[in-house]
Amino acid sequence: MTTRTSGVFEEGTAPPLTSPSIAMPAMDFVVQWNRCGITADYLADYLAYAFERRDVARSVITTAANELLENAAKFSSDKKAPVRIAARLRGDVLELEVENVADADHVDALTSVLDALSRGEASSLFASRIESPERGGLGLIILARDYDAQLGARIVSVNGGSLDKTFSVTVRASIAADEVEQR
Amino acid sequence: MTDYQIDLESVPSTAVLRGVFRLATPEQYDALFAPLAERVGKAQAPFSVDLTGVVLMNSSGLRALADLVLAARRAGTALTFLGKADVPWQSKTVASLKPLYSGLSVKLS
């Protein structure tokens, strides 16, 4: 089993005071897409109480959580495996983390985007994706560009020796509290 | 459960969108936005899209809005997005579509 990281993925030091998490089989989200939004809304409603500008915080948190969940549901290579989302309030930073099982093609595409975002290329990526006939892949770019989210992933090889490699992928978006409240 | 609505009839030269837009795929947005895209592509007069009643929109929906801007650019139709300044995805992402087309206005109330 090998582990690597892409983009900005550092382990936090202070234990979070609040860290709700939810896990469901990817199939649940695929067969009823609204469950992505329902789950994101729940986390946002719960966490928004930690912020003074609650309505704004709710909008930003559910927007970010929904993008991460939709990506995880779409790109889960094993629809029976769980998609797990966790939120952590670490002082002045909100972390949203989504874990799912993915194949090598998705991992390659994801790490390419995360590495580009960590180099500060969000605006140029957004512009090129919008003009491209290939659609999709905007969610993480929007989080980085419009909410200044620090994005990264931890990628663990689940069956490193086999031909059909699969990976446990944990994508994290870290958003400053001031961005969550749009101050 | 449908939690979104597109009204093309109530306000002249305006599409009024309401609700939560979190469709699963770009293709689903293509189907939903097809009548709207057709009007934008054929409009002789300026056309508006009122987003003030839209609570949330996922990135596939924002891509669909960008596609409307590109359709307006091809047709030379002046296009206006109406939104709210205190709704982050509108004030940030929708407003950021302006560089795509000089004929696009974004008015945030």
Side-chain angles (χ1 to χ4, degrees):
Chain A
M1 182 181 295
T2 58
T3 301
R4 62 187 165 117
T5 62
S6 175
V8 180
F9 198 99
E10 298 167 359
E11 299 299 338
T13 51
L17 293 174
T18 301
S19 57
S21 65
I22 299 171
M24 301 290 178
M27 181 62 72
D28 280 15
F29 296 108
V30 172
V31 299
Q32 187 50 259
W33 197 248
N34 277 349
R35 286 173 174 151
C36 295
I38 289 168
T39 306
D41 287 349
Y42 167 75
L43 287 174
D45 285 336
Y46 189 96
L47 292 165
Y49 283 97
F51 297 89
E52 290 181 11
R53 302 186 71 200
R54 195 180 305 163
D55 288 345
V56 173
R58 182 191 186 279
S59 180
V60 172
I61 296 169
T62 193
T63 293
N66 186 64
E67 291 301 332
L68 296 176
L69 276 169
E70 288 192 358
N71 276 352
K74 275 181 192 169
F75 297 112
S76 283
S77 57
D78 179 357
K79 302 300 186 193
K80 294 177 183 173
V83 167
R84 182 185 309 277
I85 183 166
R88 300 188 195 99
L89 283 172
R90 291 187 185 277
D92 56 359
V93 175
L94 169 70
E95 290 179 0
L96 294 169
E97 209 170 82
V98 175
E99 179 183 359
N100 65 290
V101 173
D103 62 21
D105 287 346
H106 174 64
V107 167
D108 289 346
L110 175 67
T111 55
S112 174
V113 169
L114 292 176
D115 290 345
L117 292 177
S118 70
R119 294 192 298 268
E121 297 174 10
S123 291
S124 59
L125 274 178
F126 181 83
S128 63
R129 292 282 174 102
I130 288 292
E131 297 279 1
S132 167
E134 285 188 26
R135 296 180 295 181
L138 273 182
L140 296 180
I141 297 167
I142 288 173
L143 296 185
R145 192 194 64 153
D146 294 346
Y147 303 96
D148 207 19
Q150 299 285 306
L151 291 158
R154 179 177 56 224
I155 298 150
V156 180
S157 173
V158 175
N159 55 345
S162 71
L163 289 174
D164 54 341
K165 274 189 176 179
T166 57
F167 300 86
S168 173
V169 178
T170 303
V171 175
R172 181 189 295 163
S174 303
I175 306 175
D178 284 352
E179 278 293 329
V180 173
E181 295 189 276
Q182 298 289 292
R183 291 187 183 277
Chain B
M1 183 172 68
T2 299
D3 42 15
Y4 51 80
Q5 180 185 17
I6 298 178
D7 179 358
L8 292 167
E9 307 302 330
S10 298
V11 183
S13 298
T14 301
V16 180
L17 279 59
R18 300 184 188 90
V20 174
F21 287 75
R22 283 174 161 171
L23 283 68
T25 64
E27 290 73 24
Q28 290 178 2
Y29 276 102
D30 285 346
L32 183 69
F33 278 34
L36 176 52
E38 186 179 349
R39 296 206 182 193
V40 168
K42 290 181 178 174
Q44 302 296 311
F47 196 85
S48 295
V49 178
D50 185 346
L51 299 167
T52 57
V54 181
V55 181
L56 294 163
M57 181 172 279
N58 64 5
S59 59
S60 295
L62 291 163
R63 171 61 203 243
L65 289 184
D67 285 343
L68 282 182
V69 176
L70 299 180
R73 187 175 72 183
R74 285 192 297 272
T77 303
L79 182 64
T80 299
F81 286 142
L82 305 170
K84 288 183 174 177
D86 61 353
V87 176
W89 65 268
Q90 295 183 10
S91 60
K92 291 196 170 247
T93 312
V94 174
S96 76
L97 298 177
K98 286 175 72 173
L100 286 176
Y101 175 36
S102 59
L104 173 67
S105 300
V106 179
K107 295 181 179 176
L108 302 173
S109 56

